[in-house]
Amino acid sequence: PEIEIKKEIDIEIEKERELETGQAPSRSYGRYNNVFLSDTELDELKAELPDKWEYYIDRLSTHIASKGTKYRSHAATIYKWAQEDEAKKPPKKGIPDYTFKEGESL
Protein backbone atom coordinates (compact mmCIF):
# COMPACT_ATOMS: atom_id res chain seq x y z
CA PRO A 1 0.00 0.00 0.00
CA GLU A 2 2.81 2.47 0.79
CA ILE A 3 4.37 2.00 -2.63
CA GLU A 4 1.04 2.64 -4.36
CA ILE A 5 0.47 5.78 -2.29
CA LYS A 6 3.97 6.99 -3.20
CA LYS A 7 3.29 6.33 -6.91
CA GLU A 8 0.05 8.30 -6.69
CA ILE A 9 1.87 11.19 -5.02
CA ASP A 10 4.56 11.12 -7.74
CA ILE A 11 1.88 11.18 -10.43
CA GLU A 12 0.18 14.15 -8.77
CA ILE A 13 3.49 16.03 -8.50
CA GLU A 14 4.13 15.36 -12.18
CA LYS A 15 0.64 16.59 -13.13
CA GLU A 16 1.18 19.79 -11.14
CA ARG A 17 4.50 20.36 -12.93
CA GLU A 18 2.76 19.94 -16.28
CA LEU A 19 0.15 22.53 -15.37
CA GLU A 20 2.85 24.98 -14.22
CA THR A 21 5.05 24.56 -17.28
CA GLY A 22 2.27 24.15 -19.84
CA GLN A 23 3.83 20.98 -21.19
CA ALA A 24 1.83 18.21 -22.77
CA PRO A 25 0.68 15.48 -20.40
CA SER A 26 3.28 12.88 -19.58
CA ARG A 27 2.86 9.15 -19.52
CA SER A 28 4.57 6.78 -17.13
CA TYR A 29 7.25 4.40 -18.40
CA GLY A 30 9.83 2.02 -17.03
CA ARG A 31 9.78 -1.13 -14.98
CA TYR A 32 8.12 0.69 -12.08
CA ASN A 33 6.01 3.15 -14.11
CA ASN A 34 7.72 6.10 -12.43
CA VAL A 35 9.49 7.71 -15.40
CA PHE A 36 7.33 10.46 -16.82
CA LEU A 37 7.84 11.54 -20.43
CA SER A 38 5.67 13.42 -22.87
CA ASP A 39 5.08 11.88 -26.30
CA THR A 40 7.47 14.45 -27.76
CA GLU A 41 10.21 13.64 -25.25
CA LEU A 42 9.82 9.92 -25.92
CA ASP A 43 9.98 10.44 -29.69
CA GLU A 44 13.15 12.53 -29.29
CA LEU A 45 14.76 9.85 -27.10
CA LYS A 46 13.93 7.20 -29.68
CA ALA A 47 15.47 9.32 -32.44
CA GLU A 48 18.63 10.33 -30.55
CA LEU A 49 19.23 7.06 -28.67
CA PRO A 50 17.74 4.45 -31.02
CA ASP A 51 19.48 1.44 -29.48
CA LYS A 52 19.53 2.62 -25.86
CA TRP A 53 16.35 4.56 -25.05
CA GLU A 54 14.62 1.58 -23.40
CA TYR A 55 17.73 0.77 -21.37
CA TYR A 56 17.94 4.33 -20.03
CA ILE A 57 14.23 4.49 -19.18
CA ASP A 58 14.48 1.25 -17.19
CA ARG A 59 17.73 2.40 -15.58
CA LEU A 60 16.09 5.63 -14.43
CA SER A 61 12.97 3.78 -13.29
CA THR A 62 15.02 1.39 -11.16
CA HIS A 63 17.12 4.25 -9.78
CA ILE A 64 14.06 6.26 -8.74
CA ALA A 65 12.42 3.19 -7.20
CA SER A 66 15.50 2.21 -5.21
CA LYS A 67 16.71 5.65 -4.12
CA GLY A 68 13.50 7.70 -4.10
CA THR A 69 15.29 10.46 -5.97
CA LYS A 70 13.26 13.25 -7.57
CA TYR A 71 14.22 14.80 -10.89
CA ARG A 72 12.85 17.93 -12.54
CA SER A 73 13.09 16.41 -15.99
CA HIS A 74 13.34 12.70 -16.59
CA ALA A 75 14.26 13.26 -20.24
CA ALA A 76 17.12 15.59 -19.28
CA THR A 77 18.39 13.03 -16.78
CA ILE A 78 18.43 10.33 -19.45
CA TYR A 79 20.31 12.58 -21.87
CA LYS A 80 22.82 13.47 -19.15
CA TRP A 81 23.45 9.81 -18.32
CA ALA A 82 23.85 8.96 -22.02
CA GLN A 83 26.41 11.77 -22.44
CA GLU A 84 28.31 10.64 -19.36
CA ASP A 85 28.34 7.03 -20.55
CA GLU A 86 29.60 8.11 -23.98
CA ALA A 87 32.39 10.18 -22.39
CA LYS A 88 33.50 7.17 -20.32
CA LYS A 89 34.04 5.01 -23.40
CA PRO A 90 37.67 4.48 -24.30
CA PRO A 91 38.80 6.13 -27.53
CA LYS A 92 38.48 3.99 -30.62
CA LYS A 93 41.66 2.24 -31.60
CA GLY A 94 42.80 1.59 -35.08
CA ILE A 95 44.53 3.29 -37.91
CA PRO A 96 43.90 7.04 -37.91
CA ASP A 97 42.19 8.46 -40.97
CA TYR A 98 44.55 10.85 -42.71
CA THR A 99 42.46 11.39 -45.80
CA PHE A 100 42.02 14.93 -47.01
CA LYS A 101 40.50 16.83 -49.86
CA GLU A 102 42.55 18.42 -52.59
CA GLY A 103 43.82 21.79 -51.44
CA GLU A 104 43.69 20.88 -47.72
CA SER A 105 46.78 20.16 -45.69
CA LEU A 106 47.44 18.19 -42.56
Side-chain angles (χ1 to χ4, degrees), residues 6 10 13-14 17 34-37 41 56 59-78 80-81 84:
K6 181 158 177 29
D10 289 344
I13 290 170
E14 185 65 22
R17 182 181 71 88
N34 56 356
V35 175
F36 299 99
L37 301 167
E41 289 171 328
Y56 283 110
R59 180 176 164 188
L60 180 57
S61 181
T62 303
H63 180 76
I64 291 170
S66 69
K67 303 266 185 182
T69 309
K70 302 271 187 218
Y71 294 96
R72 286 186 174 203
S73 169
H74 291 171
T77 302
I78 290 172
K80 179 179 179 280
W81 287 359
E84 289 171 352

Side-chain angles (χ1 to χ4, degrees), residues 11-76:
I11 291 170
E12 289 301 317
I13 290 170
E14 185 65 22
K15 286 180 181 178
E16 288 174 11
R17 182 181 71 88
E18 291 166 6
L19 291 174
E20 290 173 3
T21 60
Q23 293 180 346
S26 298
R27 297 180 190 201
S28 61
Y29 297 94
R31 180 181 302 260
Y32 300 100
N33 289 315
N34 56 356
V35 175
F36 299 99
L37 301 167
S38 67
D39 291 340
T40 303
E41 289 171 328
L42 182 63
D43 290 341
E44 289 172 354
L45 282 173
K46 288 179 180 180
E48 294 183 40
L49 304 169
D51 299 330
K52 296 269 188 176
W53 65 273
E54 291 174 303
Y55 161 77
Y56 283 110
I57 288 173
D58 277 343
R59 180 176 164 188
L60 180 57
S61 181
T62 303
H63 180 76
I64 291 170
S66 69
K67 303 266 185 182
T69 309
K70 302 271 187 218
Y71 294 96
R72 286 186 174 203
S73 169
H74 291 171

Side-chain angles (χ1 to χ4, degrees), residues 52 82-94:
K52 296 269 188 176
Q83 289 172 346
E84 289 171 352
D85 289 350
E86 190 64 32
K88 290 178 189 175
K89 286 184 178 179
K92 293 181 179 178
K93 294 183 179 179

